[in-house]
Amino acid sequence: MTQPPPPPNQPPQQPPGFGPPQDSSQQPPAQPPTPPGGPGFHKAPQPGYGYPQAPQAPQAPQAPQAPQAPQTPPPAAPPVAPQGPGYGYPQQPPTPAAGYGYPGQQPGPYGQPQQPYGQPGYGYPQPTTMPMPPQPGQPGGGRRFNAQAAIIVSAVVAIALIVGGGVWYASSSGKDDKETTADPGGTGGKDAKNGGGTGTGGTSSEAKEKAPADTGSKVLFQVPAPKVPKDTTTISTSGSWLTDTVYAKSGIAEVVGYDRAKGTEKWTIDLPGPVCEATGHVTEDNKTAIIYKPAMPTKDDPQRCTQVALIDLEAGKEVWSKSGKSGTMPIGFNNVTLSGGTVAAGSTSGGVAWEVASGKQLWAPKTSDACYDSGYGGGEKLVAVRKCGGYEQRQLHIQTIDPKSGKVITEYKMDEGIEYAGIVSTNPLVVAADVGDTAGDGSGISDFFSIDNKTGKLRTRISAPGEEFAARCDIITRIEKCSGLAVGNDRLYIPTEEHEGAGEYSQTNEIVAFDLSTGKQTGQRADAGDGYQLTPLRMDGGNVLAYKRPPYDKGGQIVSIDGGSFKQTTLLENPATEAVRDVETRMLPDYAEILFSQGDLYMSGVFASDFSGSDKEYLVIAFGTG
C-alpha cells in the first residue's frame, strides 16, 4: 500500500529488517544466506504501528542523507539498518538454542530443507551482517520501508541533549515529573498474577481487569540493560513472569526476581550460561520452565541449549535441571512448555518430557522413530507438533497427548507439504501455518486451523492473508511463540494490517473476530482510532486485553475490549513525555515481552547486545496506575 509522505513533524517508521540482532557466536557453521528477493523472500512484519508509510525505501545499510531539518524535531532515531526477509529481522535462523532474538528467527525461506551438520538441531545458515538494535523513537521491524527515515537524523543530537541534560516534559496525565519521567532510579510496583503470556486463551471466565479511577500511569521502575560478555554480540534474555509478589525477568545467565511493590531485587538464580528460551506458563505454585546453555558461549564454542530447568518464582530457586539424548547425542532444545504437571521440550531431534514434581523423565526420542516431536504447546492441554516424512513430503501431525505418558489422545494430520505449524491455543485447539509459503510478509501465517480436541477432526480453516492481517507466529522452531492475537469465547481475535485513517497522514487498524466453528468473521470490530494501532495481548475472562501503540506524540495504552459488545475501556495510559516514549518504543509487542495485570504494565526486551549509543538502554520498564 502506497501512502503519502508524513508531515515534517511526524517521525518515520523503522524499516524492515530492524530488530534484535543475533549473536554470531550462537550460530552453527556458516551457510550463504538467501539474498533478498530470492526464493521465499518475504516483506518484513511491521510492529511500527502509528507512523505513516512512505512510497520509497532507503538503501540499507547506507546511512540516509538528512534532508532539510523540520521545524519541529521529531523523536530521535538513528539511521536505518539493513533489510532482511522474515519477521522484521535480517534473515537469520536459530541454532538449537532457539530463542536468540524475539519474536523469532527462521532458517531461511520457509520450505527450505534443513541441512545436517552431524549434531542434533544444527543445520541453519548464518548471516553475514549484523544490524543495529532498535533505537529510541523508532517502532522497529516494520513491514514496509519508509523513505522518510532521514528526516529524523538531524534531530537525533538535539533530542539526545534534551533528554540527557535532564529536561523532562510534563505528562498528559497531569502527574509531576518524578512520577512520569523515565528515571532509572524510580521504584514501585504491585502485583497481579499471570498478567501476560503468549496471547492465547481458552475457556472464558469472569474478567478481572477493571479500570482505575485515574488511568494515567507513572513509571514504577526500570532495569538497565545488562552488559554482554567480551567478544559476544548478542545474548538472549527471553522470559518474564508475574506472581503475587514478584516480577521475574531473565538477564544474562541469570533470572532475577524483582519486588513488585518496590522494584528492588528479591532474589537471583545464577546460571552457567544464557537463557535460550522460556515458557510463559506458570504452575499454581509459581513454578515455570526455561532452557539454558551449560556454559557461556565463546567464538570457539558457541554452546548449545541442552539444559531444561524448573525454577521456583517465589523462592527464587532452581528446583531441578535436566538434559536429554537422542541415541547417544545430547539434544539441543528449541522450545519448552508446561501442562498437566509436565515440562515438555522439543527439538529437531525429537521431544523430551519430565515430571514437574520430581524431574523424572517421562519420555524421550526413540532411535527407531520415523517421526519426531518438533515442539509442544501447553496450558490447559498438551499438544505436540509431530513431523513425519522428508522435505516436500512432510506431514505434520497435530496431536493432543496425555501429559503423563505421552500417549496420543487425538490427532489431526495436516496436508502434505506444510513444513511448519505454530500452536496458537491448546483449548480450543488452534494452529497457524504458512500454507504454500503464501503469507508473503514473514508472519508465518496464511491460514488458521480450528481443530476439535475431542475427535481430532478439523472444525474449520480460516484464511488470513498476510497483506490483510498483522498477527504472526514463529513456526520454525518456537512452536508456541504466536503473538498479536488471542483466543477465547470460541473465537480468534486478530488485528488487521495498518491502513490510512480519517486524519491527514494518519494510520490505524482494527481487531476483528473469527468464529472458530464456522471460520467466518463475526462482524465484531474494534477500531484503534486515528494514529493508534491495536495488538491483542491475551484474554481476560471473556474480554480481550490489547496494547494500543500510540502516535509519535502520545503514550501507549492498555484497553479491555468487551467480548460481546466490543466496547473498549481504557485501563492504562502511559506518559507522553519524550523520555518515557523513547524507552517505550523500544518495547513494542512485536519484539518485546508485555505483561499487564491489575493496573501494572511490564515491558521487557528479549536480548542484550554490545551495541552502544548516546542513550541509556533498558531491559525492563514498568508502569502503574496506583
Side-chain angles (χ1 to χ4, degrees):
M1 179 187 304
T2 301
Q3 306 290 345
N9 66 344
Q10 192 159 356
Q13 198 166 41
Q14 183 168 299
F18 212 66
Q22 306 302 311
D23 183 359
S24 60
S25 70
Q26 314 301 327
Q27 304 301 324
Q31 292 290 326
T34 302
F41 174 70
H42 304 302
K43 63 179 180 177
Q46 169 148 355
Y49 301 151
Y51 293 70
Q53 302 286 338
Q56 296 183 2
Q59 296 298 315
Q62 295 178 353
Q65 298 297 316
Q68 182 176 353
Q71 306 238 344
T72 303
V80 299
Q83 179 188 8
Y87 291 97
Y89 299 80
Q91 181 171 307
Q92 170 143 343
T95 69
Y100 279 73
Y102 185 75
Q105 312 83 8
Q106 60 191 69
Y110 294 123
Q112 294 283 353
Q114 298 173 350
Q115 301 178 18
Y117 284 90
Q119 295 190 54
Y122 275 20
Y124 296 113
Q126 180 174 347
T128 56
T129 60
M130 183 69 67
M132 291 292 288
Q135 299 295 323
Q138 289 193 338
R143 290 185 188 271
R144 306 175 182 87
F145 275 120
N146 193 312
Q148 300 300 314
I151 293 178
I152 60 177
V153 175
S154 60
V156 172
V157 175
I159 298 300
L161 289 174
I162 292 174
V163 175
V167 181
W168 309 103
Y169 294 90
S171 165
S172 60
S173 69
K175 299 180 185 291
D176 61 30
D177 288 349
K178 182 179 179 181
E179 294 180 311
T180 58
T181 58
D183 183 356
T187 61
K190 65 176 183 291
D191 172 58
K193 187 179 179 180
N194 299 332
T198 59
T200 62
T203 55
S204 297
S205 58
E206 183 179 355
K208 297 179 180 179
E209 307 297 343
K210 309 297 181 182
D214 181 2
T215 59
S217 75
K218 63 180 179 181
V219 175
L220 300 178
F221 66 89
Q222 291 177 114
V223 178
K227 293 183 179 180
V228 300
K230 184 179 179 181
D231 298 326
T232 301
T233 304
T234 306
I235 292 287
S236 168
T237 57
S238 179
S240 57
W241 307 267
L242 292 173
T243 75
D244 290 336
T245 59
V246 172
Y247 168 73
K249 175 64 187 171
S250 295
I252 294 181
E254 65 181 8
V255 179
V256 181
Y258 300 92
D259 188 302
R260 293 192 58 184
K262 302 176 182 178
T264 53
E265 291 187 17
K266 295 189 66 174
W267 49 257
T268 298
I269 300 173
D270 291 319
L271 301 168
V275 175
C276 308
E277 187 55 85
T279 179
H281 299 297
V282 179
T283 65
E284 288 297 322
D285 58 350
N286 295 315
K287 294 182 176 64
T288 192
I290 62 173
I291 303 171
Y292 66 89
K293 295 190 173 189
M296 291 301 295
T298 65
K299 288 183 177 180
D300 295 330
D301 187 358
Q303 296 291 322
R304 300 171 60 224
C305 298
T306 58
Q307 304 301 120
V308 176
L310 184 77
I311 61 174
D312 188 324
L313 296 171
E314 279 296 332
K317 295 180 179 179
E318 181 180 275
V319 181
W320 51 254
S321 179
K322 304 292 180 178
S323 59
K325 289 185 177 181
S326 176
T328 60
M329 296 295 295
I331 295 175
F333 294 104
N334 294 326
N335 55 77
V336 66
T337 196
L338 274 169
S339 181
T342 294
V343 174
S347 76
T348 56
S349 298
V352 185
W354 300 267
E355 186 178 68
V356 168
S358 65
K360 175 186 176 182
Q361 188 176 99
L362 299 176
W363 67 80
K366 298 177 181 178
T367 55
S368 59
D369 285 349
C371 306
Y372 66 93
D373 292 356
S374 63
Y376 302 93
E380 294 186 35
K381 305 282 186 179
L382 184 60
V383 176
V385 175
R386 190 163 178 82
K387 291 193 173 186
C388 299
Y391 175 59
E392 292 187 343
Q393 291 184 327
R394 181 83 68 198
Q395 187 170 47
L396 302 182
H397 298 195
I398 309 301
Q399 301 175 335
T400 299
I401 60 179
D402 183 335
K404 298 299 183 184
S405 65
K407 179 182 178 181
V408 177
I409 300 172
T410 62
E411 179 178 71
Y412 171 73
K413 296 180 180 180
M414 303 188 78
D415 293 342
E416 285 192 8
I418 299 176
E419 289 287 319
Y420 310 101
I423 304 295
V424 177
S425 170
T426 61
N427 189 32
L429 179 52
V430 180
V431 173
D434 186 359
V435 180
D437 217 13
T438 58
D441 63 349
S443 66
I445 303 171
S446 65
D447 296 83
F448 293 95
F449 297 78
S450 175
I451 302 167
D452 191 317
N453 253 327
K454 296 180 180 179
T455 65
K457 294 182 179 180
L458 182 68
R459 299 175 67 195
T460 190
R461 178 171 167 174
I462 299 170
S463 176
E467 67 271 16
E468 296 180 28
F469 300 102
R472 60 177 167 178
C473 291
D474 180 357
I475 59 175
I476 303 298
T477 59
R478 305 170 73 200
I479 303 300
E480 207 174 26
K481 293 295 183 181
C482 292
S483 62
L485 73 180
V487 173
N489 307 318
D490 206 34
R491 289 173 178 150
L492 169 67
Y493 301 96
I494 57 176
T496 66
E497 282 283 10
E498 66 174 15
H499 57 81
E500 291 182 359
E504 187 176 14
Y505 304 117
S506 72
Q507 299 286 299
T508 189
N509 80 330
E510 299 80 32
I511 290 176
V512 297
F514 286 87
D515 189 306
L516 291 176
S517 62
T518 66
K520 297 180 180 180
Q521 288 196 38
T522 64
Q524 296 166 304
R525 198 174 189 90
D527 295 323
D530 277 343
Y532 289 87
Q533 275 79 41
L534 276 166
T535 301
L537 297 178
R538 64 176 176 90
M539 298 300 297
D540 173 35
N543 297 342
V544 181
L545 289 184
Y547 176 79
K548 287 182 73 170
R549 190 271 170 87
Y552 74 96
D553 58 348
K554 303 289 185 181
Q557 298 179 7
I558 297 293
V559 297
S560 176
I561 303 171
D562 186 277
S565 66
F566 255 44
K567 177 184 177 182
Q568 294 183 49
T569 301
T570 300
L571 303 181
L572 172 146
E573 182 169 9
N574 288 335
T577 63
E578 200 159 21
V580 173
R581 286 188 286 107
D582 282 350
V583 180
E584 183 178 359
T585 54
R586 298 172 184 261
M587 305 286 188
L588 297 177
D590 284 345
Y591 53 78
E593 294 170 344
I594 299 180
L595 306 181
F596 174 83
S597 190
Q598 302 300 311
D600 292 339
L601 171 64
Y602 298 83
M603 308 176 78
S604 65
V606 293
F607 77 101
S609 77
D610 66 350
F611 294 107
S612 60
S614 58
D615 297 308
K616 188 175 181 65
E617 301 284 344
Y618 294 96
L619 177 66
V620 178
I621 184 168
F623 300 92
T625 58

